Amino acid sequence: MSIVALAVGAGVAVGLNLASRSGGTSQDESAGGGAGATCGGREVLRVSVTPELAPVVEQAAADIGANPPGGCRLIAVTAQDTYAGGEAWIPATAAWARLAKFDYAPDPVPLARTPVVIAAPKAFAQTLGWPEHPPAWAAIAAGLNNGQVPKLSMGSPLRDTAGLLAAMEVQSAMARTTTDPGIAQTRALSVRARLADAEAEPAKLLERMGQQSDAGRALRDVGLFTLTEQDFWKYQQSRHPVALAALYPTDAILEADFPLLLTPKAAADGELKALATRLADRMHAKEFAPGLTSRGLRPVGGDAAPSGDGLTAKYQASIDLPDNVAEWASTWAQHRRLA
């Protein structure tokens, strides 16, 4: 899961390319302006959907009769990470919308879940207490300081969903270790400073891990790294010489929850709002859960979960996104690694 972002100037302003266009309908317009597309005289809900969820949204739209085979589509899906115009955006997390300063209606509806986990060679994970006692971020941080955790990598919070949410997790976890905000920030940034790679790409690290044949060498060469549970699940669909475990930090965990973000204009349109509600209701239905778990995702409600080696069925409740997402993402991205 990655997203293209741009740090402007000193990095304080972070934005996405909202002018990007691909797919959609022939009448694609920017949000809030111009006439929208129609299908048989009815308004079309044009929605940009992060690629890992796009097939599921397409299926839900078909299930509710909005997109019949061979007919025009009431829900026009454009599969891409950035907002492509239209009436709605479903990013992996609302954190991307905050970084993009995307204006959306209140109370967005999450459609699915996948937590951010830490991939580790299973043999090493067991030394940290997994699976009975998965480690906290505070313990991972201490392990980086004393050398018990030899190598940890994370994606950039300006490009990678897991990297963005993991940076927020570390901030929250370190805030739990002290009542002094300054000390908490120092502790969080010390994790950032000790990352082996602060702009890692999970897909490339998984590829490298798949080439390893020895767990000890895999720990030294690749180490631990953050990624979404869905990406971990996809990797685990094939057997690899070095077994991996997914660590779910016990002091702070965030989920990519794929919120359905309507533009204020669309939310005020009764027909479009009703169509969006039908789509969300279908994806929340109990009988739809297998369509999510079969793709490595979890439904918003209930205990259904993807199955696979190294995964955990249940974990603690997700924390809320902090208010300072953009500020912290920029601070984290600019901080330098220790020599």
Side-chain angles (χ1 to χ4, degrees), residues 53-86:
L53 192 71
V56 183
V57 175
E58 292 272 19
Q59 182 59 57
D63 289 352
I64 64 174
N67 294 2
C72 63
R73 297 175 169 235
L74 286 173
I75 299 176
V77 174
T78 297
Q80 67 177 57
D81 283 313
T82 52
Y83 173 59

Side-chain angles (χ1 to χ4, degrees), residues 299-311:
V300 171
D303 295 329
S307 60
D309 185 45
L311 295 172

